[in-house]
């Protein structure tokens, strides 16, 4: 699966949390969201030079908001590929938000130990998610659908699928 096909699939399945996603689909879409964020930050800096950070501009905010649901959907479909439920996504994002919040409190209060522990937890959560997203999916069908790498099974389900 190439870059444009992965982006097209993820945008077509904007809020589709069912089924499975291949590793290439997930990682190409991650690259797409990063590139869109960089482009939006550059445009914000050009159009609104008074904004302090590139991530604080209106285009960066709109692009992040527009890509939030498809990013979450492909994350859940990727979890499904190696037979994990969507509850893991809720746990991941909840832990990420909680540790980021505690790091912010630690910084504001000048509590170095709290900040350090929170930052280490954030890094651990991110590494854990990267490892999971890089894992191969289960071979063959699982409870979330057919194997996205099995071309024969996918063609029998969808007569318009190309192989």
């Amino acid at each position: 699966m190439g870059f444009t096909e992965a982006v097209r699939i993820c945008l077509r399945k904007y809020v589709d949390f069912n089924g499975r996603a291949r590793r290439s689909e997930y990682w190409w879409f991650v690259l797409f969201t990063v590139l869109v964020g960089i482009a939006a930050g550059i445009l914000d800096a050009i159009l609104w030079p008074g904004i302090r950070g590139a991530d604080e501009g209106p285009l960066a905010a709109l692009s992040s908001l527009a890509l939030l649901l498809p990013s979450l959907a492909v994350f859940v479909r990727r979890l499904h590929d190696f037979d994990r439920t969507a509850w893991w996504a809720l746990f991941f994002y909840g832990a990420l938000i909680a540790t980021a919040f505690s790091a912010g409190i630690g910084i504001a209060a000048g509590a170095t130990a709290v900040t350090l522990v929170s930052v280490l937890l954030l890094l651990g959560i991110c590494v854990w998610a990267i490892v999971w997203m890089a894992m191969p999916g289960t071979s063959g069908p699982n409870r979330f659908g057919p194997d996205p790498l099995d071309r024969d099974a996918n063609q029998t389900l969808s007569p318009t699928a190309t192989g």
Side-chain angles (χ1 to χ4, degrees), residues 17 26 68-80 82-98 125 128-129 132-133 144:
F17 294 87
Y26 175 79
L68 176 67
L69 286 176
S71 296
L72 184 59
V74 74
F75 183 77
V76 168
R77 289 194 312 272
R78 183 73 201 112
L79 286 169
H80 288 172
F82 52 93
D83 211 18
R84 301 288 193 274
T85 66
W87 289 107
W88 282 102
L90 181 65
F91 171 76
F92 169 74
Y93 283 108
L96 200 62
I97 290 168
I125 291 167
W128 166 67
W132 267 23
M133 294 298 110
F144 298 106

Side-chain angles (χ1 to χ4, degrees), residues 32 73 158 163:
F32 172 73
S158 173

